[in-house]
Amino acid sequence: MTKQEKNEVIELLKGKFSQYNNFYVTDTESLTVEQVGKLRRACFDKQVEMKVAKNTLIKKALESIDAEKYSGVYDSLNKVTALLFSENPKEPALILSAFRKEGNKTKPELKAAFINGDVYSGDENLVTLTKIKTKNELIGEVIGLLQSPAKRVLAALLHHHEQKEGAAATTEAAPAE
């Protein structure tokens, strides 16, 4: 690989790291070509970008953007590395989990995940990352919580109104003595 080609890869990676707040660093070393192809298709179907690059080029791209911000990711840059970029922080974790279940495998292994400024190191975090709530899920929960008291007040008012109407109807229907 020439110096020019390396610089092009670094610039491409810098663009991806700047574009996405979330990326996963995975180890795809023991996967066959067919398995990597399946993983790429699964990523493509879920709007997750998968890039494979040399660890030194990945590190140079991260350092040129913000060396301190990404320092927690550097230790995971070893062996064969595939990067998964996504707007949705949990989508790559779901893809990796599904891929593993389908083939009863432990690969691809999660080396690290960078989620909105936080670094999750190690494969043991994969289950946790599948449970992360997306921004839209959190907004939906907040809206639900805000609507809940209003719904209870309206239900109580309707119930109270129905009770009054029911009581008035029974007094009118009762015969006078």
Side-chain angles (χ1 to χ4, degrees), residues 87 126-127:
E87 292 294 331
L126 186 62
V127 173

Side-chain angles (χ1 to χ4, degrees), residues 159-171:
H159 181 70
H160 180 68
H161 181 68
E162 289 170 359
Q163 281 183 336
K164 275 186 161 182
E165 284 181 355
T170 55
T171 54

Side-chain angles (χ1 to χ4, degrees), residues 9-10 15 19 24-25 28-29 34 39 63 74 86 91 93 95 107 120 126 130 134 144 165 170 172 176:
V9 170
I10 290 171
Q19 179 183 354
Y24 285 55
V25 181
T28 57
E29 186 171 22
E34 181 183 337
L39 181 60
E63 286 175 337
Y74 300 150
S86 176
E91 199 64 54
I95 291 169
K107 297 281 183 175
Y120 298 85
L126 186 62
T130 61
T134 64
E165 284 181 355
T170 55
E172 288 176 14

Side-chain angles (χ1 to χ4, degrees), residues 92-163:
L94 294 172
I95 291 169
L96 293 174
S97 294
F99 188 82
R100 286 178 174 191
K101 282 181 187 173
E102 183 182 305
N104 294 323
K105 294 184 173 46
T106 57
K107 297 281 183 175
E109 182 181 323
L110 176 68
K111 297 197 276 185
F114 185 86
I115 310 294
N116 296 319
D118 295 321
V119 177
Y120 298 85
S121 294
D123 196 54
E124 63 277 0
N125 287 309
L126 186 62
V127 173
T128 304
L129 292 168
T130 61
K131 297 176 183 174
I132 284 180
K133 297 207 184 274
T134 64
K135 183 179 176 182
N136 289 340
E137 289 171 334
L138 290 172
I139 290 171
E141 282 185 15
V142 169
I143 290 172
L145 290 171
L146 292 173
Q147 287 179 340
S148 182
K151 286 180 180 176
R152 278 190 252 148
V153 168
L154 287 173
L157 288 173
L158 286 172
H159 181 70
H160 180 68
H161 181 68
E162 289 170 359
Q163 281 183 336

